Amino acid sequence: LQESDETPLDFVAPAITLTLTPGQHAAADFHLSRGALLRGQVLDAKSHQPVPGAMIGLYGSAKPRTAASIYGRTADANGRFEFRVPPGEQQPYIQSASPDYLDLPNQGMQHLTVTEGQTLDFTFSLPPNPDPLVEGTLLDPDGKPLPNATVTLANPNGLLPARQFTSDAHGKFHLHARPGTQLRAAFKALATPPPERVAANRPPELRPAKNPT
């Protein structure tokens, strides 16, 4: 049992793991409690100002790492978020954040242990990305803005995995890239695109809004 950003629960229960064979029936009882409250905040490591919009995931007694779905929150305008969880070990981590910040090792995962009725406050500190800023617009072959397209950063030394960013509803993107980094654009439709989007079979065009500084 878990809560959502829209409808927080007053009670929680730890997950139950069942191993079944074909044709087998099993019963499982969930024991509800008020649990504990995890209250977190995402901060800029340099300015100590809140970082809104970061996505935080959580593994723990209600959502073990073997679970397929993600137990997550989005930091609000003040960088804050909350989880109500059953007692036991909890492992919050940064699922994703603005490209204005560097990725944390192991996604910044923390190992916290809470007891029934406890409220525990903690923070994530994200280091600002020092690489030059690149802003631009993705255009289709007809010069129209292309939303939900992918910009891939190919690292110049090839030692780190490529990073991907998605253009917004107006085809715009912004990211940070080291000098010598290659930018590549791609578009994959989730449904059948209109004919003008597949005509000419040409890749999207990257149009920079400004040069890196």
Side-chain angles (χ1 to χ4, degrees):
L1 295 175
Q2 68 183 55
E3 58 184 340
S4 69
D5 288 328
E6 294 79 15
T7 56
L9 296 179
D10 292 325
F11 299 92
V12 290
I16 297 176
T17 301
L18 298 175
T19 302
L20 304 177
T21 58
Q24 181 182 0
H25 296 273
D29 295 325
F30 288 96
H31 298 278
L32 296 173
S33 72
R34 295 292 302 214
L37 187 63
L38 290 179
R39 299 191 306 194
Q41 188 176 25
V42 185
L43 300 174
D44 184 301
K46 186 176 181 179
S47 68
H48 306 292
Q49 294 299 305
V51 177
M55 298 182 66
I56 299 91
L58 178 74
Y59 294 119
S61 48
K63 183 65 65 174
R65 302 192 71 153
T66 54
S69 59
I70 296 175
Y71 191 7
R73 290 286 183 277
T74 301
D76 65 16
N78 296 311
R80 297 187 181 278
F81 58 92
E82 293 184 354
F83 291 96
R84 184 169 293 280
V85 296
E89 184 179 359
Q90 314 298 329
Q91 300 173 346
Y93 62 95
I94 296 292
Q95 184 182 347
S96 65
S98 164
D100 294 328
Y101 295 92
L102 297 175
D103 293 335
L104 295 173
N106 196 31
Q107 296 181 291
M109 181 176 289
Q110 300 189 32
H111 297 266
L112 310 173
T113 301
V114 293
T115 58
E116 179 71 24
Q118 181 182 7
T119 296
L120 181 63
D121 295 312
F122 66 102
T123 61
F124 288 106
S125 294
L126 301 184
N129 195 328
D131 293 333
L133 175 66
V134 180
E135 295 179 304
T137 305
L138 284 171
L139 304 175
D140 69 9
D142 296 322
K144 298 178 181 178
L146 193 58
N148 302 317
T150 299
V151 179
T152 300
L153 288 183
N155 291 283
N157 55 22
L159 298 178
L160 299 175
R163 299 185 63 191
Q164 293 187 334
F165 303 88
T166 303
S167 61
D168 64 16
H170 305 287
K172 296 185 179 299
F173 68 92
H174 90 274
L175 49 87
H176 292 258
R178 297 178 183 177
T181 299
Q182 293 181 338
L183 299 182
R184 299 171 183 170
F187 175 72
K188 292 183 180 180
L190 298 179
T192 303
E196 62 268 17
R197 291 300 173 97
V198 296
N201 193 29
R202 288 179 290 166
E205 175 187 349
L206 283 165
R207 176 177 292 179
K210 64 174 67 174
N211 293 324
T213 56

